[in-house]
Amino acid sequence: MNSAMMRVKVQRYRPEQDDAPFMQEFEVPYADDMSIIDALHYIKDNLDGTLSYRWSCRMAICGSCGYMVNGVPKLGCKTFLRDYLNTGITVESLANFPIERDLVADIGDFVEKLEEIKPYIIRQDAVSVDDGEHLQTPAQLTRYRQYSLCINCGLCYAACPQYGLNNEFMGPAALTLLHRYNQDSRDQGRDERIDIVNAEEGVWGCTFVGYCSEVCPKGVDPASAIQQGKVESSTDFVMSKLRPRRPS
Amino acid sequence: MSKSGKTYHRADEPIFWGLFGAGGVVAAFATPALILITGILVPLGVLQLDYASVNAFASNWLGKIILLAVIAFPMWHACHRIFHAMHDLKIDTARGFFKLFWYGMAFVVSIAAGAYLIAI
């Protein structure tokens, strides 16, 4: 099928002139190794320079190029035209987020949620640099490692029906990152994060649909992190009845 | 205190999630076998269950506990699932009422089943 052309439908929305998003069809040259962002580059360079979309690294590590491809959240760099020969391709802005322009989603709410869960190591006791590094066993590393591989692309938010229904829900990636730091043997910040875990907006907003884990391009399993959070929250619920925590 | 200063309230979900989880285990392991036996094999005459032996089972304390478990836990499971499915279907009006209604139904069925079993 080399030298053939392939049709790609792209969602457009330019707020200064469009009342609503609409689809525009382009013809791009097909190659077996052509990714979605390669196709978007071709469109921008040769067909319509006004097309806006986010991208950066082209190798599934920056997390910028999340789009809906035929209704499924995908990274543009990791998704290839060859897999859509029979179905055709429709590229849209990430679901569950407002559209800023064309394929650019406004993921500000997601970024605020990431900050909210304090995604950094918190120590209660001050440790001097002179004391050397914190050592960790392979077993301690295994407890959180897969959850640390998140690239913050937001595909899991586009996949999550609960976030789509109510964006007060902290959502998959933020709760996974929260779990990642709580599971880290170097971290002592659990008490500062547990109120978020325990809330309706925390792990309890999840109904274990599991689509977040299915679409994750890095093989992180947010659904498992959240279910472990539910166990932790349930334990904390019982413990708080037996031994009330002092208000911080 | 959270980073944004927002106050988070503890959800009462652990209680219902615990009962939902217990019900899920019972519904997955015991309910299909019970439906097969009491709903299909016995009515078709493939299996024989006489009143005396079932009555003896329900008269025994261990039997009572097992019967209560296979009735009450799946009830909590189903009611919890329906309550959350209402939110999925965007039926969010009178949420407090429906919470009381569905969990109340599971509660009433559990108490009634317990009372019947004690009376046997």
Side-chain angles (χ1 to χ4, degrees):
Chain A
M1 185 147 173
N2 281 339
S3 80
M5 302 295 280
M6 188 163 176
R7 283 165 195 260
V8 178
K9 279 190 203 161
V10 181
Q11 185 181 49
R12 301 301 307 270
Y13 176 60
R14 296 149 299 179
E16 73 282 0
Q17 61 183 97
D18 303 325
D19 293 331
F22 64 98
M23 302 306 293
Q24 191 175 358
E25 198 167 290
F26 297 98
E27 283 218 323
V28 299
Y30 173 84
D32 286 336
D33 58 355
M34 199 160 176
S35 69
I36 298 285
I37 50 172
D38 289 334
L40 296 174
H41 291 338
Y42 180 86
I43 294 168
K44 190 169 177 77
D45 292 346
N46 300 285
L47 305 174
D48 188 340
T50 67
L51 179 66
S52 298
Y53 55 100
R54 280 204 192 96
W55 66 282
S56 179
C57 78
R58 292 168 292 162
M59 47 197 247
I61 199 64
C62 76
S64 305
C65 63
Y67 319 115
M68 302 302 284
V69 180
N70 289 6
V72 178
K74 296 270 188 191
L75 288 185
C77 63
K78 227 189 148 185
T79 308
F80 294 87
L81 300 193
R82 61 173 182 259
D83 294 321
Y84 297 87
L85 288 176
N86 299 323
T87 55
I89 295 185
T90 302
V91 187
E92 292 165 284
S93 168
L94 272 185
N96 298 341
F97 291 113
I99 304 174
E100 209 162 295
R101 185 182 188 86
D102 294 340
L103 297 175
V104 179
D106 175 3
I107 59 165
D109 180 60
F110 166 47
V111 175
E112 276 171 32
K113 287 182 160 73
L114 283 177
E115 286 178 41
E116 180 77 347
I117 56 102
K118 302 187 179 176
Y120 37 81
I121 286 174
I122 298 170
R123 297 289 301 187
Q124 303 304 333
D125 53 345
V127 183
S128 160
V129 176
D130 300 331
D131 295 333
E133 59 276 75
H134 294 286
L135 296 178
Q136 225 166 21
T137 65
Q140 287 170 328
L141 176 67
T142 305
R143 288 178 71 84
Y144 72 84
R145 187 175 177 276
Q146 73 137 317
Y147 304 122
S148 73
L149 300 178
C150 171
I151 58 171
N152 305 333
C153 62
L155 296 195
C156 53
Y157 282 73
C160 177
Q162 292 304 340
Y163 181 74
L165 282 169
N166 175 13
N167 68 7
E168 290 287 306
F169 176 43
M170 294 302 288
L175 289 169
T176 302
L177 204 59
L178 187 160
H179 186 67
R180 173 250 176 278
Y181 282 97
N182 275 357
Q183 292 299 307
D184 193 318
S185 58
R186 299 166 295 182
D187 182 86
Q188 299 171 335
R190 182 186 170 277
D191 286 356
E192 293 185 35
R193 304 191 188 97
I194 192 72
D195 288 345
I196 297 177
V197 177
N198 286 335
E200 192 67 41
E201 304 96 307
V203 295
W204 300 111
C206 164
T207 53
F208 202 8
V209 173
Y211 194 31
C212 51
S213 300
E214 214 173 293
V215 302
C216 178
K218 302 304 287 183
V220 179
D221 190 353
S224 91
I226 298 173
Q227 301 324 298
Q228 288 175 44
K230 286 180 184 176
V231 174
E232 188 174 350
S233 177
S234 297
T235 311
D236 187 74
F237 184 87
V238 175
M239 292 308 290
S240 72
K241 302 293 171 213
L242 300 175
R243 193 184 58 196
R245 265 187 299 145
R246 277 172 293 146
S248 53
Chain B
M1 176 69 91
S2 71
K3 180 134 183 151
S4 67
K6 182 180 169 183
T7 312
Y8 292 90
H9 302 285
R10 183 191 284 279
D12 56 11
E13 198 69 10
I15 307 165
F16 303 116
W17 186 67
L19 290 161
F20 168 77
V25 172
V26 173
F29 286 102
T31 308
L34 285 173
I35 291 171
L36 182 70
I37 294 166
T38 61
I40 298 169
L41 297 181
V42 171
L44 288 176
V46 179
L47 266 183
Q48 302 299 321
L49 265 187
D50 61 288
Y51 177 82
S53 59
V54 175
N55 188 259
F57 183 74
S59 303
N60 178 286
W61 273 107
L62 186 62
K64 286 183 204 291
I65 291 168
I66 291 170
L67 286 172
L68 183 64
V70 299
I71 294 167
F73 286 135
M75 194 66 199
W76 283 98
H77 181 87
C79 288
H80 177 85
R81 193 54 262 173
I82 294 168
F83 177 59
H84 280 271
M86 288 182 68
H87 172 66
D88 295 345
L89 296 170
K90 301 183 186 180
I91 307 168
D92 283 316
T93 44
R95 203 148 169 78
F97 165 77
F98 281 112
K99 187 172 182 177
L100 194 69
F101 177 80
W102 289 115
Y103 292 133
M105 184 185 289
F107 183 76
V108 167
V109 169
S110 303
I111 295 296
Y116 274 121
L117 285 164
I118 288 169
I120 291 170

